[in-house]
Amino acid sequence: MGQDLESGNGDKPYSVELCGGTHVYRLGDIGLFTILSESAVASGVRRIEALTSEGARQYLSRQADLAREAAATLKTSPAELPARVAQLADERRRLERELSDAKRALGAGRSRPKAAPKAM
């Protein structure tokens, strides 16, 4: 299946069981492969849940559609989506702090809260 690069014996191939009820003669028979989740089952044993072939293609196509929809909603490109989401999260935290400060100022009897510096 591959080469053991971690032990320093990179020239020795290694094999692991890849089983989902269906066995294949070679890895290439699986086709497209996308991991959905992975977890520890026991010491040194990992459980990987994945989709293959047409199921993987359909899943990845739907994920791309969702990314495009989210990007369109936020008026950005899918490539810029993570940065835009981070920017919005930062802005929300800033606004929540300003609101909290304003509530505190009103509760203390001051008529106007201190102006917070504007974010760039």
Side-chain angles (χ1 to χ4, degrees):
M1 179 170 159
Q3 304 233 330
D4 185 0
L5 300 176
E6 289 183 21
S7 70
N9 296 324
D11 58 335
K12 292 185 178 180
Y14 71 94
S15 176
V16 296
E17 182 180 351
L18 181 64
C19 181
T22 302
H23 296 269
V24 295
Y25 290 104
R26 60 180 187 260
L27 286 176
D29 292 344
I30 294 171
L32 182 62
F33 184 91
T34 186
I35 295 174
L36 300 177
S37 67
E38 67 91 21
S39 58
V41 175
S43 179
V45 179
R46 307 295 296 174
R47 175 182 175 84
I48 297 174
E49 295 183 17
L51 294 172
T52 62
S53 192
E54 183 61 19
R57 190 201 61 76
Q58 289 175 359
Y59 172 80
L60 293 173
S61 178
R62 181 64 185 137
Q63 294 301 304
D65 290 344
L66 291 171
R68 281 190 293 274
E69 288 175 29
T73 299
L74 298 176
K75 296 179 177 34
T76 191
S77 69
E80 295 296 322
L81 194 54
R84 181 71 174 120
V85 169
Q87 180 186 30
L88 289 171
D90 289 344
E91 184 177 349
R92 179 182 173 159
R93 281 189 291 274
R94 181 184 59 79
L95 290 170
E96 286 174 344
R97 279 192 304 270
E98 286 181 17
L99 178 59
S100 177
D101 291 346
K103 285 180 179 179
R104 213 174 304 117
L106 287 173
R110 291 186 279 179
S111 60
R112 293 186 58 182
K114 215 184 217 184
K118 291 186 179 181
M120 302 267 166

